[in-house]
């Protein structure tokens, strides 16, 4: 796979704040890459460095496997913090303004973009009257008119109602899947991104805390069983053989059976049949936000 974005030891220092501290990452084409961290973690600064709004104190950036960032950034669109929309204009007029400003020759692009994000081109409603979710979709439409291969969205779903979140998520997934657009999206909540991203990076105090794929996240947090038995090593061997679940020794002399929550009663019965006493059995399903708070040490 080809990297479309790569950073090496990227660092941004403001006076005595390390806003971005030695961040190295690689993002592949078609990834929906999440940047997660509490307020002040350095998310916006990291995105500004990648888009060129801000210059790094040290470290390197490559776009499309090249150091020619000016060229690479032409293939990128970003919505950082609050996008500037003209409130007393319609969606169509906003798009027309940006089309001309960005030298996009085909007027059809603005209709395509509105259709993609599900806004009505013939609407006479001024953008000032739009919901937060509609404004966000319009901002994405603005970003789309230049046909970007990379889209960078800073907190695209904060402050949006559930229906709006659902629509933005589907839009991002559709663009990634059907058009091969690579996304970087940020959020202060892991649960907000976990349904959308393919991979994510947790940062705090400018530093990389953890990078993982969504599959790794679910493997670490979902639907396990914790067992205490009269013979843990025998129990582990039997469960592994019979049910093919992953097993591991866990804290307090217990056994962890991965992703086996739905089979808890069958597993208990099976152990008892095999003359192993079950002293305790619990399902664990770690809440994503708890998992994340643990990572960032809150
Ligand atoms: P996030 O987007 O994750 O909330 P930011 O990237 O906005 O975090 O900020 C990271 C840190 O850098 C914060 O401590 C913030 O106060 C500081 N910071 C951001 N921009 C500036 C700036 N222009 N001047 C000084 N400090 C800044
Ligand atoms: Mg921010």
């Amino acid at each position: 796979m080809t990297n479309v974005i790569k950073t090496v030891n990227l660092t941004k220092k403001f006076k005595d704040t390390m806003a971005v501290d030695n961040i190295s990452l690689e993002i592949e084409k078609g990834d929906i890459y999440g940047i997660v961290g509490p307020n002040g973690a350095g998310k916006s600064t990291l995105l500004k460095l990648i888009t060129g709004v801000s210059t790094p104190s040290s470290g390197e950036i490559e776009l499309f496997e090249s150091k020619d960032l000016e060229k690479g950034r032409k293939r990128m669109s970003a919505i950082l913090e609050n996008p500037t929309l003209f409130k007393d204009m319609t969606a169509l007029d906003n798009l027309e303004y940006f089309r001309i400003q960005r030298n996009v020759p085909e007027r059809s692009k603005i209709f395509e973009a509105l259709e993609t994000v599900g806004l009505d081109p013939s609407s006479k409603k001024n953008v000032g009257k739009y919901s937060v979710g509609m404004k966000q979709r319009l901002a994405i439409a603005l970003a789309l008119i230049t046909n970007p291969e990379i889209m960078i969205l800073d907190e695209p779903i904060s402050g949006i109602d559930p229906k709006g979140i659902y629509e933005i998520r589907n839009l991002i997934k559709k663009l990634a899947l059907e058009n091969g657009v690579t996304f970087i999206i940020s959020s202060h909540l892991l649960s907000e991104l976990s349904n959308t991203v393919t991979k994510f990076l947790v940062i705090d105090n400018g530093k990389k805390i953890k990078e993982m794929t969504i599959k790794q996240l679910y493997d670490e947090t979902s639907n396990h069983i914790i067992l205490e038995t009269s013979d843990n090593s025998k129990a582990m061997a039997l469960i592994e053989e019979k049910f093919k679940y992953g097993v591991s020794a866990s804290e307090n002399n217990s056994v962890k059976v991965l992703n086996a929550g739905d089979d808890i009663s069958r597993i208990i019965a099976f152990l008892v049949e095999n003359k192993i006493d079950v002293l305790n059995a619990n399902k664990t399903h770690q809440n994503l936000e708890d998992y994340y708070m643990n990572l960032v040490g809150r």
Side-chain angles (χ1 to χ4, degrees), residues 134-203:
M134 285 169 81
K135 282 189 193 136
Q136 198 55 254
R137 271 148 66 197
L138 177 58
I140 293 176
L142 293 179
L144 277 174
I145 57 176
T146 53
N147 265 346
E149 291 160 74
I150 301 174
M151 286 187 72
I152 297 191
L153 311 176
D154 194 7
E155 308 239 10
I157 42 192
S158 63
I160 302 183
D161 59 84
K163 183 168 166 279
I165 291 177
Y166 178 81
E167 287 166 359
I168 300 276
R169 268 186 189 143
N170 284 347
L171 175 59
I172 291 172
K173 286 184 189 173
K174 185 176 95 174
L175 288 167
L177 203 70
E178 291 174 14
N179 303 19
V181 178
T182 306
F183 281 87
I184 309 186
I185 56 181
S186 69
S187 176
H188 58 284
L189 295 172
L190 175 58
S191 51
E192 207 173 72
L193 288 188
S194 61
N195 285 325
T196 315
V197 298
T198 53
K199 205 176 182 185
F200 64 94
L201 173 70
V202 179
I203 62 172

Side-chain angles (χ1 to χ4, degrees), residues 32-46:
I32 304 175
Y33 191 92
I35 310 275
V36 192
N39 288 330
K43 302 179 295 294
S44 297
T45 307
L46 175 58

